Amino acid sequence: MFMHLWLRIAIELTLSINFFSTVLKYYKNRRFRGVRMNGARIVIADKEKGFRKQLREILKQAGYLVVGEAEDVKTTLHLVSQTEPELLVLDVDLPGFGEMQLIRVLEERRVVSVVLTFPYDHRLIVDMAAAGGVFGLLTKPVQETSVFPILESALVNFRRVKLLEKETGKLRQELETRKVVERAKGLLMEKKGMNEADAFRYLQKLSMDRCVSMMKVAKQTVITLQNR
């Protein structure tokens, strides 16, 4: 099982690096001109001050905006809440109540893409990498050329997940509205002798006359008619 997870991680990282190879070429060709590659907001959470400084300089040179740094879990949560970053670079050994708990909290809120930094032989990295809120892995010490494709991949995939969740939520709402409208139509047909088309037009007219949603009109109709 562990071998399978490691293989999956390796494949995903390889694909990410290949996909963003053009980003690296662009960076290498223009890095000394101070060109802004990406304005993404980033929080660095690591217990080592020296590592935070090193990564901050790398990111700033590439045009990323480092909006905060933390050395423990409590400060990390505060910064994520206050600064609303797009990406959190998180040390797997960050002092606090446990990295897996922190990842679960962030995953539930779905507010930030997480990239884990870890020593190559860290014993829990497989479990952490499988967590839903983790979108990338960086081994320590970090190599400048490996940072950007991994961060860019994490940002792109996080945005895709957010978009998918938004679309899923919209679809769920539409299905719920349709369910309630169908219930209201059924009661209008049963209680008032309307046919299906007339019942739907009746609900539409109420919605327009009252300037409220079909969901609200349908719910009120159901409440009114089912008690008669």
Side-chain angles (χ1 to χ4, degrees), residues 26-228:
Y26 180 80
Y27 171 71
K28 288 178 179 179
N29 291 337
R30 307 191 65 178
R31 57 182 295 188
F32 297 110
R33 302 181 196 177
V35 175
R36 185 182 182 85
M37 279 182 57
N38 191 308
R41 298 164 59 83
I42 298 178
V43 165
I44 303 172
D46 196 286
K47 65 180 184 296
E48 299 177 8
K49 184 177 180 180
F51 176 81
R52 296 199 306 270
K53 180 180 179 181
Q54 176 198 12
L55 186 59
R56 180 177 68 246
E57 291 305 315
I58 291 174
L59 296 176
K60 284 186 175 181
Q61 287 180 17
Y64 292 93
L65 181 61
V66 178
V67 296
E69 298 179 25
E71 58 184 3
D72 56 52
V73 167
K74 183 178 180 180
T75 307
T76 299
L77 287 172
H78 176 74
L79 281 174
V80 169
S81 175
Q82 294 298 313
T83 63
E84 299 182 349
E86 290 184 85
L87 194 146
L88 170 64
V89 180
L90 176 64
D91 176 15
V92 297
D93 291 321
L94 194 69
F97 59 79
E99 293 74 20
M100 289 301 293
Q101 286 179 278
L102 174 59
I103 291 171
R104 291 191 187 102
V105 169
L106 295 172
E107 181 185 7
E108 288 173 1
R109 298 180 184 179
R110 192 69 76 189
V111 293
V112 66
S113 173
V114 176
V115 171
L116 293 178
T117 60
F118 63 99
Y120 183 77
D121 59 349
H122 195 282
R123 59 187 178 84
L124 295 179
I125 193 58
V126 173
D127 293 333
M128 291 183 176
V134 175
F135 288 83
L137 302 172
L138 274 174
T139 57
K140 290 182 176 181
V142 295
Q143 300 297 319
E144 188 172 348
T145 54
S146 69
V147 170
F148 304 109
I150 292 173
L151 295 191
E152 290 295 326
S153 176
L155 286 167
V156 168
N157 288 328
F158 179 70
R159 289 164 183 164
R160 286 174 178 168
V161 169
K162 292 282 285 185
L163 179 60
L164 180 60
E165 288 178 341
K166 182 178 180 180
E167 292 174 347
T168 301
K170 183 179 179 181
L171 178 59
R172 187 181 296 112
Q173 181 63 38
E174 290 175 353
L175 291 173
E176 182 62 25
T177 298
R178 180 174 296 182
K179 180 180 177 181
V180 177
V181 168
E182 289 298 318
R183 174 63 175 154
K185 283 165 52 181
L187 287 170
L188 286 169
M189 293 165 66
E190 176 187 344
K191 303 288 186 178
K192 293 185 175 291
M194 296 182 181
N195 61 39
E196 184 176 359
D198 287 341
F200 185 70
R201 282 194 290 269
Y202 174 81
L203 293 172
Q204 276 188 320
K205 187 174 186 305
L206 280 181
S207 175
M208 295 177 66
D209 290 346
R210 298 177 183 178
C211 294
V212 295
S213 67
M214 282 285 283
M215 169 67 93
K216 189 170 183 178
V217 166
K219 281 184 175 180
Q220 186 58 51
T221 301
V222 170
I223 292 172
T224 301
L225 294 181
Q226 69 182 0
N227 294 326
R228 290 184 179 180

